[in-house]
Amino acid sequence: MADLTDRLRRELDRYSPGGKLPSSRALVERFRVSPVTVSRALAQLAAEGLVVTRPGAGAFRARPRTQAAAVGDTSWQEVALSADGAADLVPRSVDASGVLVTLAAPAPGVIEFNGGYLHPSLQPERAMAAALSRAGRRPGAWGRPPVEGLPELREWFARSIGGPGGSVTAAQVLVTSGGQSALTTALRALVPPGAPVLVESPTYPGMLAIARAAGLRPVPVPVDADGVRPPLLADAFRATGARVFVCQPLFQNPTGAVLAPERRGEVLRVAREAGAFVVEDDFVRRLVHEDAGPLPRPLAADDPDGVVVHVGSLTKATSPSFRVSALAAHGPVLERLRAIQVVDTFFVPRPLQEAALELVGSPAWPRHLRAVSAELKTRRDTMTAALRLGLPDLALPHIPSGGYHLWLRLPDGTGGESALVAAALRAGVAITPGRPYFSAEPPAGHVRLSFAAVAGTGEIAEGVRRLRTACQEVF
């Protein structure tokens, strides 16, 4: 699409202002591209103000503006945005750089080892399209849903969290718009501005960004191969007086660790004794690898005291745009979560909720999960083998049995990870630096490599080869 856009942009001088461009059909035949590509290229030129499109009439070269827009003075905003007030103990800052690393699309030809979502070839596109089509024909599909979410979808999430025993009910579930939104709601509900919040170290940069944007103080608690260490968690609660701990007990991002069975009850006990909540971000439960054994239940399934606020999402197993997730909690906190969600977003659009119901209730859903499970294992094994053969100096302390990435430690005394990230991009592979995953100074340099966002195992092998070139340059 970019090539066609550039060619059309260069040819605009052939037409006088207001002159009509060739029809879409003519452009399809001339450039041998699809109608969708032509439509997107014209839309891009229209967004740049170079072309005007008129439904039923075609596309025309835009007329030049007769007068340049006045340039205002926005320097006053610097003072306004920095004046948090004496009541704020922690200055608020909005830094999305750690999140944008996984959202920004690499340039053409760059292998995407920094992606945070499934490659389009792994997404259930046909099943989602069919589900959306069926959902749109449901009676009342475009009406206003209950603010808590459709009852049937809440029931499905409750079963997926609590299991067949029914330890979580539909009444304890709120349907939300993606895991990021759910985490934002949870932290706003549970932590006042200026207060500390305990986080795993390392941890998901998007959660750190949420906390800092809300004026919270993230306090790190180290994670090892078996997850967070309960004695250190207890020490952190005592030292800070925090009332919330945010964790990912299953296939933690970025380490891939799973909270050990003997630590699960201890984490809940420590939090309960501190009078604190545990926010459980169960983000990749449905991206388990084929060789994984039985998965541990969510912490929320074994929590009679209402310690856990659970976040679960369909997005990672489907598509970045399929933003349907759930918050689960019980006790008075549920009403506060509900109130904040209503104030922020009113509700998740009903057609999307209906489509989610159609998708998870279709025979295509379990088939998709099985296919992704097998493919992720193959990709993980391919990347692991390539790294061990071509880059043995990069330490790989843990090989996860779920999720979509590997966490690598750089050799000591070999230069900064930022230099490696830049060199890798020059070599044609995008990787994720480790620094944004730490809320304090990191113990060493790290990088995260995703194997889910690439086209296949061939790209993985080529990407590791390019990364080796970058390492030779930096190290």
Side-chain angles (χ1 to χ4, degrees):
M1 193 270 282
D3 291 342
L4 178 59
T5 305
D6 291 340
R7 295 181 69 175
L8 292 178
R9 189 184 290 111
R10 290 194 297 268
E11 292 185 3
L12 283 178
D13 287 340
R14 297 181 182 179
Y15 307 95
S16 59
K20 185 175 181 180
L21 276 64
S23 67
S24 294
R25 178 177 297 180
L27 293 174
V28 166
E29 294 176 354
R30 177 186 170 192
F31 293 105
R32 299 184 181 276
V33 295
S34 70
V36 172
T37 300
V38 170
S39 176
R40 290 178 174 173
L42 292 174
Q44 176 61 37
L45 294 177
E48 296 174 9
L50 301 176
V51 165
V52 175
T53 57
R54 299 170 189 160
F60 303 81
R61 182 180 176 185
R63 298 184 183 277
R65 295 180 179 178
T66 56
Q67 182 177 359
V71 178
D73 179 8
T74 61
S75 59
W76 64 271
Q77 293 184 5
E78 186 175 353
V79 177
L81 291 174
S82 63
D84 286 318
D88 287 341
L89 300 178
V90 178
R92 291 178 296 168
S93 62
V94 183
D95 181 4
S97 58
V99 182
L100 290 174
V101 167
T102 60
L103 293 179
V110 175
I111 294 177
E112 191 173 358
F113 277 0
N114 64 333
Y117 298 99
L118 296 178
H119 187 269
S121 64
L122 296 180
Q123 297 174 18
E125 290 186 344
R126 294 180 62 183
M128 288 189 296
L132 192 59
S133 176
R134 293 193 302 269
R137 296 193 298 269
R138 284 187 171 197
W142 296 90
R144 184 181 65 192
V147 294
E148 300 87 354
L150 296 180
E152 302 90 341
L153 187 56
R154 296 169 71 198
E155 178 62 37
W156 182 86
F157 271 116
R159 289 196 306 271
S160 69
I161 298 167
S167 60
V168 177
T169 68
Q172 297 167 347
V173 173
L174 303 174
V175 178
T176 61
S177 181
Q180 188 77 356
S181 174
L183 286 171
T184 301
T185 297
L187 287 185
R188 285 190 59 201
L190 301 175
V191 192
V197 55
L198 304 187
V199 300
E200 294 174 314
S201 181
T203 191
Y204 166 53
M207 192 277 298
L208 294 176
I210 292 170
R212 289 168 177 149
L216 310 181
R217 292 189 290 117
V219 178
V221 184
V223 172
D224 62 21
D226 291 321
V228 70
R229 298 160 62 183
L232 295 181
L233 180 63
D235 290 343
F237 274 126
R238 283 192 296 269
T240 64
R243 291 294 179 263
V244 172
F245 169 52
V246 185
C247 64
Q248 295 174 327
L250 186 66
F251 309 133
Q252 197 257 0
N253 183 10
T255 66
V258 176
L259 188 61
E262 64 273 13
R263 294 186 182 184
R264 291 166 54 86
E266 277 295 288
V267 167
L268 296 185
R269 181 190 63 78
V270 167
R272 180 69 182 87
E273 290 180 355
F277 289 97
V278 173
V279 176
E280 177 185 27
D281 182 11
D282 200 17
F283 72 116
V284 285
R285 179 167 292 271
R286 296 173 183 86
L287 294 187
V288 59
H289 300 170
E290 192 176 43
D291 59 347
L295 297 184
R297 285 151 53 98
L299 295 178
D302 301 310
D303 170 39
D305 298 326
V307 172
V308 178
V309 174
H310 179 92
V311 176
S313 176
L314 290 173
T315 304
K316 290 295 186 185
T318 54
S319 160
S321 291
F322 205 83
R323 306 203 64 76
V324 179
S325 61
L327 271 170
H330 63 282
V333 69
L334 184 63
E335 180 54 34
R336 182 178 292 187
L337 292 166
R338 175 182 177 274
I340 288 179
Q341 172 167 307
V342 170
V343 169
D344 283 351
T345 62
F346 287 1
F347 47 77
V348 177
R350 182 163 186 154
L352 196 55
Q353 294 191 56
E354 298 278 9
L357 271 174
E358 289 283 355
L359 178 64
V360 299
S362 70
W365 179 241
R367 288 199 301 268
H368 164 66
L369 294 181
R370 287 194 298 270
V372 169
S373 177
E375 179 64 19
L376 289 179
K377 175 188 177 298
T378 299
R379 291 172 175 226
R380 179 205 66 194
D381 291 347
T382 299
M383 180 174 279
T384 300
L387 288 169
R388 285 176 169 169
L389 180 64
L391 288 167
D393 291 337
L394 298 187
L396 180 57
H398 178 66
I399 301 175
S401 57
Y404 53 90
H405 61 264
L406 299 177
W407 181 243
L408 301 168
R409 176 170 173 154
L410 305 185
D412 294 335
T414 53
E417 64 188 38
S418 59
L420 178 59
V421 171
L425 196 57
R426 289 193 296 272
V429 58
I431 63 176
T432 306
R435 181 64 185 89
Y437 291 81
F438 293 91
S439 60
E441 289 76 12
H446 294 80
V447 294
R448 198 192 76 158
L449 305 183
S450 168
F451 47 79
V454 295
T457 54
E459 273 202 357
I460 291 175
E462 174 61 18
V464 172
R465 187 195 67 78
R466 296 181 185 184
L467 182 58
R468 182 180 181 182
T469 300
C471 287
Q472 290 172 341
E473 174 187 335
V474 174
F475 298 160

